[in-house]
Amino acid sequence: EAGVAQSPRYKIIEKRQSVAFWCNPISGHATLYWYQQILGQGPKLLIQFQNNGVVDDSQLPKDRFSAERLKGVDSTLKIQPAKLEDSAVYLCASSPGGLVEKLFFGSGTQLSVL
Amino acid sequence: GESVGLHLPTLSVQEGDNSIINCAYSNSASDYFIWYKQESGKGPQFIIDIRSNMDKRQGQRVTVLLNKTVKHLSLQIAATQPGDSAVYFCAEEAAGNKLTFGGGTRVLVKP
């Protein structure tokens, strides 16, 4: 079974630039999550989708972050404009029907904002 | 300058010894807990879970203990191996299928 795919693997940008991350969840997984993991900390949930609808985006900084999952499969997370404090690993995860015990993570995109 | 976030608690253990990793959780309403292992450059990987109606659960070489009175969770790894070197996170689930992760502990296995 293929895992959660994410790209790019690494990204370096300057502050105030924009960046986008892509995620392809495990086939058949209806629920998709984006997490932000700052170095030395646990992952923090940014947004949760159920199919193509948003379930929870309460911790998403909506003035600069946006995410979409238009066809209920792939998802894109965008930051515009980026700030220094956005430097982190952005992890995508998926699960069947929102079951956290069956949550699988991708390897993440490591973002450095200079 | 230093960043507080860079300094993970670290457990250094001799290969073959047992490891104990501790976690304090915050929400008394949490009813499900998971331990994750995260290797460098990878996402967190499920190790073992426990529900709040249990106080102990065993897996292969791993045991999770839950003390709801003091809101404490521990992960025991038996006969620690070099492949166990990683950062370990506990996570708690309260209502709504939402996981909250704690701070991690780095385990370094010495040969």
Side-chain angles (χ1 to χ4, degrees):
Chain A
E1 179 183 76
V4 177
Q6 290 189 246
S7 67
R9 192 75 181 85
Y10 303 94
K11 191 73 178 178
I12 300 174
I13 61 172
E14 295 187 348
K15 60 183 179 183
R16 291 188 289 272
Q17 287 187 323
S18 62
V19 64
F21 314 125
W22 173 83
C23 172
N24 185 285
I26 291 173
S27 178
H29 280 194
T31 310
L32 184 147
Y33 310 77
W34 282 102
Y35 285 83
Q36 179 192 59
Q37 186 174 25
I38 292 172
L39 185 64
Q41 299 181 17
K44 184 185 84 171
L45 180 67
L46 292 175
I47 188 167
Q48 177 182 345
F49 291 94
Q50 180 74 17
N51 296 310
N52 61 348
V54 174
V55 173
D56 182 1
D57 63 357
S58 58
Q59 299 201 78
L60 187 74
K62 298 180 188 62
D63 57 334
R64 298 182 302 105
F65 286 64
S66 64
E68 59 184 14
R69 194 185 184 200
L70 292 176
K71 296 182 179 179
V73 181
D74 294 6
S75 178
T76 304
L77 176 70
K78 296 180 181 177
I79 308 175
Q80 182 179 15
K83 294 185 175 182
L84 296 177
E85 59 262 37
D86 298 332
S87 294
V89 175
Y90 291 84
L91 294 163
C92 179
S94 70
S95 72
L99 298 174
V100 295
E101 58 265 40
K102 297 190 185 300
L103 189 66
F104 292 90
F105 285 86
S107 294
T109 296
Q110 184 172 327
L111 174 67
S112 297
V113 182
L114 307 178
Chain B
E2 293 185 337
S3 171
V4 171
L6 290 173
H7 294 283
L8 280 172
T10 298
L11 174 67
S12 188
V13 61
Q14 200 70 38
E15 181 178 356
D17 287 352
N18 297 335
S19 303
I20 300 177
I21 306 163
N22 296 303
C23 175
Y25 64 92
S26 56
N27 188 348
S28 56
S30 294
D31 56 8
Y32 179 63
F33 304 87
I34 303 176
W35 278 101
Y36 286 93
K37 173 185 180 183
Q38 187 172 25
E39 296 174 281
S40 181
K42 296 183 179 179
Q45 179 185 10
F46 176 99
I47 302 174
I48 191 168
D49 59 357
I50 189 168
R51 296 208 172 267
S52 58
N53 60 351
M54 303 172 69
D55 53 19
K56 180 179 181 179
R57 188 156 191 239
Q58 288 185 290
Q60 187 177 13
R61 285 201 306 118
V62 293
T63 300
V64 55
L65 299 178
L66 175 62
N67 185 330
K68 294 182 289 293
T69 302
V70 295
K71 293 190 285 188
H72 183 269
L73 200 63
S74 68
L75 176 70
Q76 301 177 2
I77 306 174
T80 311
Q81 302 170 358
D84 296 326
S85 292
V87 177
Y88 292 80
F89 292 96
C90 65
E92 59 185 295
E93 182 195 17
N97 293 329
K98 293 177 179 51
L99 277 183
T100 301
F101 284 79
T105 297
R106 187 185 309 278
V107 172
L108 293 176
V109 181
K110 297 179 289 185

